[in-house]
Amino acid sequence: MSQKDQNNNLPSTGEMGKNLADLLLKVAKDSIVGNPILVSEDEQQRRMDICRACDKFMARSIRCKECGCYLNHKTQFVVSECPIEKW
């Protein structure tokens, strides 16, 4: 699948920007009050394993078709959530 075809499976740029902004705001709020920001390596791996087994997983780019996020990054944050509630 070409990069253009692969990108057609993603949410709009605006929606992906909103998702990123929402995540960054949550991370900033937790940081300010002293809450942990990152999950353990084991938890990140658990999340990635769930993502890799999902039909929304884009293996070539390691992204989620549902939210458009790069999963190597999204799975690291405590406040991150799977858009289809798998983790």
Side-chain angles (χ1 to χ4, degrees), residues 36-55:
I37 296 170
L38 301 176
V39 299
S40 68
E41 287 183 32
D42 288 342
E43 176 60 13
Q44 183 184 9
Q45 186 60 52
R46 183 188 76 80
R47 292 176 176 190
M48 281 300 300
D49 290 345
I50 292 168
C51 292
R52 283 189 179 98
C54 181
D55 66 335

Side-chain angles (χ1 to χ4, degrees), residues 54-72:
C54 181
D55 66 335
K56 304 290 185 188
F57 182 71
M58 298 171 66
R60 185 176 203 160
S61 58
I62 312 176
R63 292 176 81 173
C64 173
K65 291 178 191 175
E66 190 69 23
C67 63
C69 292
Y70 289 94
L71 296 168
N72 284 336

Side-chain angles (χ1 to χ4, degrees), residues 1-77:
M1 178 181 295
S2 73
Q3 186 66 31
K4 184 175 181 348
D5 291 338
Q6 205 174 42
N7 287 340
N8 288 337
N9 293 324
L10 296 171
S12 70
T13 302
E15 184 64 27
M16 289 188 292
K18 180 187 176 306
N19 292 342
L20 178 59
D22 289 346
L23 173 63
L24 293 175
L25 181 61
K26 289 177 186 177
V27 169
K29 285 180 178 179
D30 270 6
S31 176
I32 289 169
V33 297
N35 290 338
I37 296 170
L38 301 176
V39 299
S40 68
E41 287 183 32
D42 288 342
E43 176 60 13
Q44 183 184 9
Q45 186 60 52
R46 183 188 76 80
R47 292 176 176 190
M48 281 300 300
D49 290 345
I50 292 168
C51 292
R52 283 189 179 98
C54 181
D55 66 335
K56 304 290 185 188
F57 182 71
M58 298 171 66
R60 185 176 203 160
S61 58
I62 312 176
R63 292 176 81 173
C64 173
K65 291 178 191 175
E66 190 69 23
C67 63
C69 292
Y70 289 94
L71 296 168
N72 284 336
H73 302 292
K74 182 175 186 166
T75 57
Q76 295 180 68
F77 295 101

